[in-house]
């Protein structure tokens, strides 16, 4: 059954096109820096925002006009899957990401939930086979149900820890069955509201234990996907343990997990942590831990996780510079952890949203590729740090000198001469690349 009868496969028509249902920049097979554009971007649909989100907010109920609204149970899940795969196929989105709860109804017990999951996994496998669409990553939802009120692996209640473990076990098995290339841990409610009732030491140790158990189980079942942690500083809890990239890297090193996990960086989580998107990507990259991306954007005037489709070309360019410098993002990808606004409640709005996001990152990739291959910024950066290439700088880098030698050296220095950082020049150059 075809649902979007009036919308065919979205085609690349180029910059001069005015067709809102066409790509202006996303040309999947176009070779950029030695490989097809689609391989740089590895776009993924987020199952939750696209298919399960209802458009509710703290002041109002759902608004989304969805053909499955009147259905329930597995029937609802199957229609969602059918239409989701049609949407991806028509958009040329080749991957999807999901929580266990997105694809199958919860049921009244863990047993029933797992049974529902098995049925839906078989159903989705059929759709994957038919369309060639693949699974970028899976995860579990250990935050919506009230049992997770105080967290999952950081709950003060050991039964909740066990329940969360059962969920991750099953979700990892399901992700493996679907050929998922990664498995994500976003903290959910792993954080706290007040130190008056929170033993942060035990909670963090438990989080470390939980993530080690995940590594052990992954090895046991031979799941070859990459494990990812998705940092977020706040929301739903006031203080999330996975605050930002640097916090997570410090945590992983403390619990000796650094070789088993990489990071899934989300743009809106970066801005909630008062960082830029590119800062978080950069921190992950320089530590060899850039795993995947949740591509979205926030609204800086609002200050909560608005999860909007990305349209900001500056952010996309700066992000894609990091991806190119990382040598690519695979086996990760660019998952649109993005939702249409509550007021954009018609099904067709999903097309406009994805087209905008995909075109923004495609154009971002093209500009970033120019910047990286021209090497102008690299050259200026190299010059800026040239004092470390010879003389005392080279000795600092090679570890030949300590405080005593440096103090001796410094005594002989006259007035130290610095050079301009040329920020405005660089911003001008960046604009030239973007405006071209
Ligand atoms: C929440 C968030 C999640 C994760 C997956 O802010 O980003 O949707 O991406 O659990
Ligand atoms: Co996310």
């Amino acid at each position: 059954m075809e649902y979007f009868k009036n919308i065919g496969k979205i085609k690349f028509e180029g910059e001069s096109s005015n067709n809102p249902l066409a790509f202006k920049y996303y040309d999947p097979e176009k070779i950029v820096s030695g490989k097809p554009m689609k391989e740089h971007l590895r776009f993924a649909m987020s199952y939750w925002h696209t298919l399960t989100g209802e458009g509710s907010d703290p002041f109002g109920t759902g608004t989304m006009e969805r053909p499955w609204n009147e259905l329930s149970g597995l029937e609802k899940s199957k229609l969602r899957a059918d239409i989701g795969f049609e949407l991806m196929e028509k958009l040329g989105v080749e991957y999807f990401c999901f929580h266990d709860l997105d694809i199958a109804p919860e049921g009244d017990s863990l047993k029933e939930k797992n049974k529902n999951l098995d049925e839906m996994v078989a159903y989705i496998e059929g759709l994957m086979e038919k369309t060639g669409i693949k699974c970028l990553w899976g995860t579990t939802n250990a935050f919506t149900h009230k049992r997770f009120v105080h967290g999952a692996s950081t709950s003060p209640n050991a039964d909740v820890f066990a329940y969360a473990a059962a969920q991750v076990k099953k979700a990892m098995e399901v992700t493996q069955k679907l050929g998922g290339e990664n498995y994500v841990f976003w903290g959910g409610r792993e954080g706290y509201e007040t130190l008056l009732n929170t033993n942060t030491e035990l909670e963090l140790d438990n989080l470390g234990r939980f993530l080690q158990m995940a590594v052990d189980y992954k090895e046991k079942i031979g799941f070859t996907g990459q494990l990812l942690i998705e940092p977020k500083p706040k929301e739903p809890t006031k203080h999330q343990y996975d605050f930002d990239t640097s916090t997570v890297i410090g945590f992983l090193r403390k619990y000796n997990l650094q070789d088993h996990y990489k990071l899934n960086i989300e743009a809106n989580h970066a801005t909630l942590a008062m960082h830029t998107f590119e800062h978080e990507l950069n921190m992950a990259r320089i530590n060899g831990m850039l795993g995947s991306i949740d591509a979205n954007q926030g609204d800086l005037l609002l200050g909560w996780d608005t999860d909007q489709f990305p349209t900001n070309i500056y952010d996309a360019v700066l992000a894609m510079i990091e991806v190119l410098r990382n040598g690519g993002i695979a086996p990760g990808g660019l998952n649109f952890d993005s939702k249409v606004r509550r007021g954009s409640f018609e099904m067709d709005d999903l097309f406009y949203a994805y087209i905008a996001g995909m075109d923004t990152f495609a154009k971002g990739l093209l500009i970033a590729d120019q910047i990286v291959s021209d090497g102008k910024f690299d050259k200026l950066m190299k010059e800026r740090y040239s004092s470390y290439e010879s003389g005392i700088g080279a000795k600092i880098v090679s570890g030949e000198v300590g405080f005593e030698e440096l103090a001796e050296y410094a005594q002989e220095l006259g007035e130290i001469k610095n050079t301009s950082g040329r920020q405005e020049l660089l911003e001008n150059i960046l604009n030239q690349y973007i405006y071209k």
Side-chain angles (χ1 to χ4, degrees), residues 65 74 82 85 108 152-153 202 239 243 249 257 260 312 353 425:
E65 290 177 358
L74 287 162
D82 288 341
F85 275 78
D108 290 331
S153 69
L202 178 64
H239 184 105
F243 192 92
I249 292 173
L257 293 163
H260 303 288
N312 184 320
L425 168 67

Side-chain angles (χ1 to χ4, degrees), residues 151-169:
S153 69
T154 64
S155 171
N157 184 343
D159 285 350
V160 178
F161 185 108
Y163 202 99
Q167 283 197 190
V168 171
K169 176 180 176 289

Side-chain angles (χ1 to χ4, degrees), residues 317-334:
V317 170
L318 296 172
M320 290 314 296
I321 290 177
E322 292 299 328
V323 171
L324 289 173
R325 292 201 164 134
N326 195 54
I329 195 77
L334 261 70

Side-chain angles (χ1 to χ4, degrees), residues 48-49 99 137 139 143 184 186 230 232 264 266 269 294 305 307 337:
W48 54 105
H49 286 316
H99 301 79
W137 54 257
T139 187
F143 44 90
V184 164
W186 164 60
E230 183 179 322
K232 186 176 184 182
N264 182 39
E266 176 162 330
H269 295 180
D294 268 8
D305 197 13
D307 287 331
D337 194 351

Side-chain angles (χ1 to χ4, degrees), residues 56-266:
S56 58
D57 73 8
F59 305 95
T61 53
T63 56
M64 294 298 149
E65 290 177 358
R66 300 295 184 240
W68 50 77
N69 279 353
E70 305 309 320
L71 304 179
S72 63
L74 287 162
E75 202 188 351
K76 185 175 194 165
S77 299
K78 286 181 183 168
L79 185 62
R80 272 186 181 135
D82 288 341
I83 295 178
F85 275 78
E86 182 187 335
L87 177 74
M88 284 187 275
E89 211 179 7
K90 288 190 166 165
L91 284 165
V93 169
E94 296 190 353
Y95 295 87
F96 67 97
C97 301
F98 71 102
H99 301 79
D100 43 7
L101 266 193
D102 303 333
I103 63 171
E106 171 131 42
D108 290 331
S109 65
L110 192 54
K111 250 197 178 149
E112 195 179 324
K113 179 183 154 156
N114 289 348
K115 196 169 147 272
N116 288 341
L117 258 178
D118 290 337
E119 181 160 348
M120 279 312 298
V121 165
Y123 192 78
I124 287 174
E125 272 181 310
L127 292 170
M128 290 171 73
E129 212 160 285
K130 203 172 101 194
T131 58
I133 289 168
K134 292 163 279 194
C135 174
L136 186 69
W137 54 257
T139 187
T140 192
N141 178 326
F143 44 90
T144 299
H145 194 280
K146 68 178 181 185
R147 76 176 67 86
F148 300 114
V149 60
H150 300 308
S153 69
T154 64
S155 171
N157 184 343
D159 285 350
V160 178
F161 185 108
Y163 202 99
Q167 283 197 190
V168 171
K169 176 180 176 289
K170 181 70 181 174
M172 199 185 282
E173 288 162 11
V174 161
T175 303
Q176 182 183 33
K177 186 128 208 300
L178 293 174
E181 296 182 30
N182 304 267
Y183 184 90
V184 164
F185 292 83
W186 164 60
R189 294 182 192 275
E190 310 291 38
Y192 70 89
E193 298 295 326
T194 170
L195 286 176
L196 295 176
N197 66 8
T198 306
N199 180 344
T200 49
E201 195 178 1
L202 178 64
E203 291 200 3
L204 281 161
D205 284 352
N206 279 347
L207 181 55
R209 289 183 183 108
F210 193 87
L211 294 175
Q212 180 61 54
M213 289 180 196
V215 171
D216 295 343
Y217 192 64
K218 173 189 151 150
E219 278 162 15
K220 170 131 204 245
I221 62 173
F223 173 53
T224 52
Q226 171 68 54
L227 301 180
L228 299 168
I229 296 191
E230 183 179 322
K232 186 176 184 182
K234 56 186 168 191
E235 202 186 271
T237 71
K238 176 166 124 173
H239 184 105
Q240 300 273 126
Y241 288 128
D242 297 333
F243 192 92
D244 62 0
T245 299
S246 298
T247 308
V248 170
I249 292 173
F251 169 89
L252 290 173
R253 290 189 178 145
K254 176 172 177 192
Y255 294 95
N256 204 21
L257 293 163
Q258 68 278 6
D259 297 335
H260 303 288
Y261 287 86
K262 286 191 173 175
L263 284 99
N264 182 39
I265 304 295
E266 176 162 330

Side-chain angles (χ1 to χ4, degrees), residues 32-44:
V32 180
S33 179
K35 63 181 180 194
M37 208 178 218
K38 65 177 194 179
E39 285 179 27
H40 285 276
L41 296 164
R42 295 169 57 87
F43 287 133

